[in-house]
């Protein structure tokens, strides 16, 4: 009597080296994670769309306001680095925020060329409202699990 052949291993054996313990996801798993991240990011951004429209702002405006709220007094150059954008692409959006009175820039006494950014009281109020909308989503998502899997949330 012959023994039945062993089924192939579900996953190939890891190659020896640094970080081997981290190599446990198959491409299929990573694609699924990528899809969930894509859907979650889109839904997370869409939650604030009505409020942004109400204020006449876009996602670029909010990203700047959010970064300045997290780092009051951030220099324009540092903001460019944090957001990973060019000066040209940020210039218009930054100008609109200043023109709407949501953001102000101040020069530092040590270096008059350096501009530090701060939210105005109205800018802080709007940023806080937008943050609150997204915070509610995060709270719902963290509490929502179906069969051990994170579900994509509905606004």
């Amino acid at each position: 009597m012959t023994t039945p052949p062993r089924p192939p291993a579900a996953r190939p054996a890891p190659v020896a080296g640094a970080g081997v313990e981290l190599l446990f996801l198959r491409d299929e798993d990573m694609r699924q994670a990528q899809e969930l991240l894509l859907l979650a990011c889109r839904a997370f951004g869409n939650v604030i769309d009505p409020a942004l429209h109400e204020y006449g702002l876009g996602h670029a405006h909010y990203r700047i306001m959010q970064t300045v709220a997290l780092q009051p007094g951030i220099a324009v150059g540092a903001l460019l680095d944090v957001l990973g954008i060019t000066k040209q692409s940020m210039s218009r959006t930054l100008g609109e925020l200043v023109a709407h009175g949501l953001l102000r820039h101040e020069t530092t006494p040590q270096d008059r060329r350096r501009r530090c950014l701060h939210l105005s009281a109205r800018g802080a109020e709007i940023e806080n409202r937008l943050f609150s909308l997204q915070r509610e989503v995060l709270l719902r998502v963290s509490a929502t699990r179906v069969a051990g899997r994170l579900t994509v949330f509905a606004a």
Side-chain angles (χ1 to χ4, degrees):
M1 186 162 132
T2 60
T3 349
R6 290 177 69 186
R11 295 183 180 156
V15 179
V20 170
E21 66 279 357
L22 302 177
L23 300 176
F24 59 91
L25 294 176
R26 297 174 295 185
D27 280 353
E28 170 188 323
D29 297 327
M30 288 189 278
R31 288 281 185 191
Q32 184 179 17
Q34 182 184 33
E35 180 184 20
L36 285 172
L37 281 171
L38 176 72
L39 294 171
C41 286
R42 187 177 66 201
F44 192 63
N46 290 346
V47 159
I48 61 172
D49 281 346
L52 285 172
H53 181 71
E54 175 186 328
Y55 296 120
L57 301 173
H59 287 274
H61 296 101
Y62 180 54
R63 279 191 297 275
I64 290 173
M65 292 172 70
Q66 188 177 35
T67 304
V68 173
L70 291 168
Q71 299 178 43
I74 188 171
V76 174
L79 180 63
L80 290 168
D81 291 340
V82 168
L83 296 176
I85 57 177
T86 64
K87 192 182 243 185
Q88 182 181 5
S89 63
M90 188 177 70
S91 179
R92 182 181 57 90
T93 307
L94 201 57
E96 289 172 354
L97 288 169
V98 171
H100 283 78
L102 304 177
L103 193 69
R104 67 184 199 295
H105 51 83
E106 301 170 354
T107 55
T108 62
Q110 299 85 1
D111 186 352
R112 306 291 294 164
R113 298 170 297 173
R114 185 174 174 175
R115 294 185 304 155
C116 296
L117 302 169
H118 299 273
L119 290 175
S120 67
R122 177 87 172 124
E125 177 186 315
I126 291 171
E127 190 281 332
N128 192 48
R129 177 176 175 218
L130 296 169
F131 168 74
S132 295
L133 293 170
Q134 288 185 326
R135 182 184 60 223
E136 292 303 315
V137 170
L138 287 174
L139 290 172
R140 281 197 319 262
V141 169
S142 65
T144 305
R145 299 223 182 242
V146 176
R149 239 174 117 177
L150 185 63
T151 59
V152 178
F153 46 87

